Amino acid sequence: MSQWKQIQQLEIRLLEHVDYLYDDNFPMDIRQGLSSWIEAQDWDTAANDESMAGVLFTSLLSQLDRVRSHEQNFLQRHNMKIIQQQLQVKYTSNPMVMARVISTCLREERRILSSACMQEQGPLERSLQNSVAFERQKNMDNRVAIIRGSVQLMDQAVKSIEDMQDDFDFRYKTLQARESSDARQNPEMMKHEVTTLQAMLNSLDFKRKEILSKMDDVIKEIEDLMSSQLNPELQDWKRRQQIAAIGGPQLTGLEQLQSWFTLTTQSLFQMKRQLDKLAELIVKVTYESDPIPLQKPQMEERVKYLIYHLIKSSFVVEKQPCMPTHPQKPLIIKTGVQFTTKVRLLVKLPEVDYQLKVKTTFDKDLTPGRVRQFFILTNNTKVMDIEDYSNGCLSVEFRHLQLKEKKYINGTKGNEGLLSVTEELHSLSFEACFTVQGLTIDLETCSLPLVVISNVSQLPGGWASVMWYNLLTDEPRNLAFFGNPPRATWSQLSEVLSWQFSTFAGKGLNKEQLSMLGEKLLGQHASCSDYQVSWSKLSKENIPGKSFSFWMWLDSILELIKKHLLPVWNENYIMGFVSKEMERTLLKDKEPGTFLLRFSESHLGGITFTWVEHSNGEVKFNSVEPYTKNRLSALPFADIIRDYKVISDGVVPENPLKFLYPDIPKDEAFGRLYNIQPSKVHPYITSTLIPISQLRSHTSTTPPSCQSPEPPMTPGEFDMLSEHLCFDINSMSSP
């Protein structure tokens, strides 16, 4: 069943989260109309490959043309045409953005499907999908709109004061011009005029005090908005970005934040202009106890302060540093390998100088000798551009940054004996400066902590560090984190481990699988969700009796699934993390030939199968030596299940695998996954690789040990082997 069909069968609660994924950047109409084609493309790779993204964008437009030409409904045809035109405007100049959007949507769909398989969501996901967040955003929209409306009304009030003052100024100067003659000729009229002017001045004074009072109220409202909602919303987005970086959901984009920041900043700039206008007014008319010169300087300083901090905080890292070769493992940089990152200014203003240069610095203000030191080898300065597809925000993407390690004097290196390479944390800083309406604003932000590696073998350890940091802290730059790393509860860690499977293997772990993992990591404490797991327990201490840590074992399984077992894994055919003892308990009462698939506990990145046999009232279990990536590269795992043969005591080779646990006929389970070779007319006899094992008889009553399977062999090789095995090859069925 396609991913989109599975999505449509979800309950309403989860469908609401799916609905939130789709907007004008990627309308749901396209997802619906091109569901099969979309799921067949590699959007993850295209998101970091400009040429591939361009090809997919062109293909998507062609697919839309095809769908539209077959659509019978006139209204639907019209809507599809509008959508196609909008996509061309948004993405023609940068198709990689479209690829990222679609990649994110598909990943979020997989995560939502994975969460639907679990009986309950983890604590992190529950906190991020709280319905209160949606109400909070509605409240923000209302508050920002009210502030914007109040500032617009103050514009009218300032204009009204200006008109009132011009009227007063004209009458006052007219009175001055005729004061000496009219005072003698018509003193009553003169007195009346003075009284009128006094009334006008009183009214003008009242209006000035009123507008200043309203301004004070709006400034207080903006101050409260920034401290109680806008800054927390920004911090919430940054936390979501951390969680998304390690495989979790990211349901909030920057567009909403940009709208709030932009409208609030525009309101403040408008108030600054209003204050400037009031300053012009007192040049013409002022008087004793005039409120403008008394209140305006302090009020202007408050407005400038808010503008400065609002714009400064709006400078964010939209895309954390990431190597295009490992798009799903951001925040790990290998020396000598290019990586990309992107920063964005959330305030969209016409007054900003568009030649805004951004400079990157690696490990700014780093204490010498604490860790290894690096410098950016490539150009580290770029100019921010306006993005049409993001409603005109200013942003800059560094696509070709590269690190090189500094040479050390006398052979001395930083961090000798303190932390491992993958526990060293580094940061990438971004700086810019610009002037707007007389205000000079220094911008600075930094990436989340980075792990720098020099060899790909360090990648698993680096990713463990990235996960642990972003799971347990929201501090943006705690580079000393691993000096004394905090512990995680099993409920926190298990949720993140499940995310790794949904991200890299397309399907997360269910409650039973997580329980099995918990038993392997924690033993008798696995049932306690609040049990504290140490950093060393996860990634530094070896599993008892093994030469590798729990994380190295689990990461090797993820790699194996991703590269060789994805179809079988996504069909729920791999039991996974069951122990040998539990395996025998599950199989002992089953039909002979019943088998289950589990990951090896003794090998890194290995999968094995065990089947049950009944002989003379005894139950026997046979386990094949684990298949690793080297052997699975030669033969798909489903074909191994289909063609597997056992030679036992000269008996005709047969496939002992009959039923996938609990009782699914083998061909019914794996038939769709078999690799069917197309028939070709050529002068050669086709050959088939056959996985074969030799099972030796056992004289003792103990269960037979696992046989050692030979590598897959051709029928010719099998014939040569049969000459030494005392049975008639002609009695065999053809492979």
Side-chain angles (χ1 to χ4, degrees):
M1 185 184 299
S2 72
Q3 183 171 306
W4 187 243
K5 286 184 178 179
Q6 293 179 61
I7 286 288
Q8 292 173 309
Q9 295 177 5
L10 293 174
E11 58 182 286
I12 297 297
R13 174 182 63 86
L14 293 172
L15 283 175
E16 289 176 355
H17 295 306
V18 175
D19 181 62
Y20 194 79
L21 295 174
Y22 295 96
D23 52 23
D24 291 342
N25 291 321
F26 184 37
M28 193 178 288
D29 305 62
I30 298 179
R31 183 68 180 95
Q32 171 75 25
L34 303 179
S35 58
S36 298
W37 181 84
I38 287 172
E39 291 174 29
Q41 313 309 313
D42 187 357
W43 298 103
D44 291 342
T45 302
N48 293 280
D49 185 327
E50 194 164 0
S51 60
M52 183 177 179
V55 170
L56 285 181
F57 178 59
T58 303
S59 298
L60 185 140
L61 295 178
S62 299
Q63 292 290 329
L64 285 175
D65 278 333
R66 179 185 59 78
V67 171
R68 189 158 53 90
S69 65
H70 290 87
E71 178 58 57
Q72 300 298 317
N73 186 294
F74 172 76
L75 181 60
Q76 287 295 329
R77 276 205 315 274
H78 173 76
N79 291 340
M80 292 293 283
K81 182 179 180 181
I82 298 299
I83 289 172
Q84 189 171 2
Q85 291 171 345
Q86 290 173 342
L87 292 179
Q88 288 175 311
V89 171
K90 279 180 179 289
Y91 301 127
T92 298
S93 61
N94 197 345
M96 283 173 62
V97 175
M98 180 203 71
R100 286 181 201 143
V101 170
I102 298 177
S103 173
T104 299
C105 288
L106 293 177
R107 193 190 78 176
E108 286 298 308
E109 285 181 6
R110 291 194 295 270
R111 186 198 54 74
I112 292 170
L113 285 171
S114 178
S115 67
C117 297
M118 299 179 67
Q119 293 186 9
E120 59 180 22
Q121 293 177 319
L124 278 171
E125 193 151 351
R126 280 200 303 272
S127 68
L128 295 176
Q129 294 187 350
N130 195 331
S131 60
V132 175
F134 297 102
E135 294 300 320
R136 205 171 60 226
Q137 291 174 7
K138 289 181 182 178
N139 180 259
M140 273 289 293
D141 287 335
N142 291 334
R143 289 188 71 179
V144 170
I146 290 171
I147 289 171
R148 196 81 185 114
S150 299
V151 173
Q152 299 286 5
L153 290 175
M154 287 193 299
D155 252 1
Q156 299 174 21
V158 171
K159 183 66 172 66
S160 175
I161 290 173
E162 184 181 17
D163 293 341
M164 183 185 295
Q165 179 172 304
D166 287 343
D167 189 22
F168 171 84
D169 188 47
F170 175 77
R171 296 188 69 162
Y172 178 74
K173 288 179 178 178
T174 301
L175 180 63
Q176 276 186 320
R178 62 187 188 186
E179 183 176 3
S180 57
S181 59
D182 286 1
R184 291 190 302 270
Q185 297 177 6
N186 195 344
E188 288 298 323
M189 190 181 82
M190 189 70 178
K191 184 178 179 180
H192 174 73
E193 193 68 24
V194 169
T195 303
T196 302
L197 282 172
Q198 185 62 53
M200 291 179 68
L201 186 60
N202 291 342
S203 179
L204 183 62
D205 181 65
F206 174 80
K207 289 295 183 181
R208 286 185 174 185
K209 290 177 179 177
E210 183 181 51
I211 189 66
L212 289 170
S213 176
K214 288 181 178 178
M215 283 185 174
D216 184 63
D217 290 340
V218 173
I219 291 173
K220 288 178 180 176
E221 176 67 12
I222 292 176
E223 287 173 337
D224 182 69
L225 178 76
M226 287 175 60
S227 62
S228 67
Q229 286 190 274
L230 194 53
N231 288 334
E233 285 291 342
L234 179 60
Q235 296 308 313
D236 180 66
W237 179 84
K238 289 181 178 180
R239 181 59 181 155
R240 287 172 178 268
Q241 187 186 48
Q242 280 187 276
I243 297 303
I246 57 175
Q250 184 174 340
L251 299 180
T252 301
L254 280 178
E255 285 71 23
Q256 185 65 69
L257 274 172
Q258 180 179 304
S259 174
W260 294 333
F261 269 88
T262 296
L263 292 173
T264 305
T265 309
Q266 286 175 343
S267 296
L268 285 167
F269 272 118
Q270 196 167 349
M271 291 182 69
K272 184 177 179 296
R273 290 191 292 269
Q274 292 166 357
L275 287 168
D276 290 341
K277 187 64 180 178
L278 292 179
E280 294 175 11
L281 294 182
I282 63 174
V283 174
K284 293 182 179 180
V285 176
T286 189
Y287 46 89
E288 187 178 352
S289 301
D290 186 349
I292 294 178
L294 293 175
Q295 299 180 39
K296 186 249 180 189
Q298 183 184 12
M299 201 170 286
E300 188 173 39
E301 286 303 312
R302 290 167 64 193
V303 169
K304 288 180 179 179
Y305 177 86
L306 293 174
I307 291 173
Y308 180 85
H309 285 279
L310 196 59
I311 294 179
K312 193 174 179 68
S313 64
S314 76
F315 191 47
V316 299
V317 181
E318 180 179 356
K319 180 182 177 184
Q320 294 292 335
C322 180
M323 296 185 293
T325 52
H326 295 82
Q328 294 168 325
K329 289 186 177 179
L331 304 172
I332 302 178
I333 308 300
K334 182 179 179 296
T335 52
V337 175
Q338 290 184 351
F339 64 95
T340 66
T341 186
K342 181 179 180 182
V343 291
R344 179 168 169 177
L345 190 66
L346 297 180
V347 174
K348 181 182 65 175
L349 292 171
E351 296 93 341
V352 172
D353 178 8
Y354 293 127
Q355 291 301 309
L356 182 57
K357 291 185 178 180
V358 178
K359 179 183 178 182
T360 62
T361 308
F362 198 79
D363 277 343
K364 183 185 178 186
D365 304 326
L366 178 70
T367 304
R370 189 182 71 80
V371 295
R372 296 166 301 152
Q373 296 181 42
F374 303 88
F375 63 93
I376 298 175
L377 193 61
T378 46
N379 181 26
N380 66 338
T381 303
K382 289 190 72 174
V383 175
M384 296 190 92
D385 294 320
I386 302 174
E387 291 185 346
D388 294 332
Y389 54 82
S390 61
N391 299 320
C393 79
L394 280 170
S395 70
V396 59
E397 184 168 15
F398 294 86
R399 297 185 184 178
H400 307 291
L401 295 177
Q402 200 173 116
L403 291 182
K404 185 174 182 179
E405 188 169 1
K406 290 184 179 180
K407 293 183 179 180
Y408 302 92
I409 301 173
N410 300 325
T412 303
K413 289 193 175 186
N415 187 36
E416 290 188 342
L418 296 177
L419 298 172
S420 69
V421 167
T422 56
E423 290 175 321
E424 286 183 9
L425 298 180
H426 305 262
S427 71
L428 187 66
S429 301
F430 304 87
E431 297 173 297
C433 181
F434 70 99
T435 300
V436 54
Q437 290 196 7
L439 285 175
T440 299
I441 300 176
D442 296 313
L443 300 176
E444 183 176 357
T445 189
C446 66
S447 71
L448 290 167
L450 306 170
V451 174
V452 181
I453 62 175
S454 56
N455 191 293
V456 290
S457 64
Q458 298 165 334
L459 192 64
W463 185 240
S465 297
V466 170
M467 285 194 304
W468 200 260
Y469 182 96
N470 291 286
L471 168 63
L472 296 176
T473 181
D474 58 3
E475 295 181 72
R477 203 175 180 182
N478 182 3
L479 303 185
F481 178 82
F482 284 102
N484 184 24
R487 292 171 176 257
T489 65
W490 171 241
S491 61
Q492 289 176 312
L493 180 58
S494 62
E495 185 176 13
V496 174
L497 294 180
S498 180
W499 288 345
Q500 305 316 299
F501 282 82
S502 60
T503 299
F504 295 100
K507 182 177 174 299
L509 302 177
N510 58 35
K511 191 173 182 180
E512 290 72 24
Q513 290 168 325
L514 288 172
S515 177
M516 294 175 197
L517 278 182
E519 289 176 9
K520 186 169 184 65
L521 179 63
L522 308 176
Q524 61 182 358
H525 302 291
S527 59
C528 179
S529 62
D530 294 329
Y531 185 78
Q532 300 283 313
V533 185
S534 69
W535 163 243
S536 294
K537 185 75 172 174
L538 174 75
S539 69
K540 302 184 78 172
E541 299 173 8
N542 286 343
I543 297 173
K546 304 296 187 295
S547 60
F548 45 81
S549 67
F550 176 84
W551 171 249
M552 291 299 292
W553 173 74
L554 195 63
D555 183 76
S556 67
I557 289 172
L558 280 165
E559 283 294 309
L560 192 72
I561 293 174
K562 182 180 179 181
K563 294 179 179 178
H564 302 290
L565 302 174
L566 210 52
V568 182
W569 171 260
N570 286 328
E571 292 289 347
N572 289 324
Y573 292 158
I574 300 177
M575 179 77 69
F577 312 105
V578 62
S579 65
K580 292 180 181 178
E581 294 74 18
M582 178 57 70
E583 175 184 69
R584 295 184 175 186
T585 301
L586 294 173
L587 290 174
K588 66 180 181 179
D589 296 325
K590 295 299 178 181
E591 288 290 321
T594 300
F595 66 99
L596 59 77
L597 312 177
R598 66 173 177 86
F599 298 114
S600 171
E601 296 181 299
S602 57
H603 289 65
L604 282 178
I607 187 169
T608 182
F609 45 82
T610 299
W611 69 92
V612 63
E613 292 179 351
H614 299 276
S615 176
N616 300 322
E618 290 185 8
V619 179
K620 295 182 180 180
F621 304 93
N622 299 295
S623 298
V624 71
E625 183 179 332
Y627 286 88
T628 58
K629 61 181 181 181
N630 292 333
R631 300 175 66 202
L632 292 174
S633 298
L635 199 62
F637 191 58
D639 289 3
I640 290 175
I641 299 294
R642 177 190 63 190
D643 299 327
Y644 182 74
K645 298 288 190 296
V646 167
I647 302 172
S648 179
D649 297 330
V651 177
V652 175
E654 65 172 16
N655 191 330
L657 309 179
K658 307 300 181 184
F659 303 98
L660 176 67
Y661 181 88
D663 54 7
I664 308 173
K666 177 190 65 179
D667 290 336
E668 181 181 320
F670 294 95
R672 294 184 298 105
L673 305 178
Y674 293 156
N675 183 27
I676 302 174
Q677 297 291 340
S679 58
K680 295 180 180 179
V681 179
H682 51 66
Y684 302 107
I685 299 173
T686 58
S687 62
T688 303
L689 292 174
I690 301 174
I692 185 168
S693 297
Q694 182 174 357
L695 186 63
R696 296 177 176 87
S697 62
H698 298 265
T699 57
S700 65
T701 58
T702 58
S705 59
C706 298
Q707 72 278 13
S708 298
E710 302 298 329
M713 58 183 69
T714 65
E717 293 170 339
F718 184 72
D719 290 341
M720 293 177 62
L721 178 65
S722 69
E723 295 176 5
H724 304 281
L725 292 179
C726 303
F727 62 84
D728 185 5
I729 193 67
N730 294 323
S731 63
M732 286 177 53
S733 59
S734 61

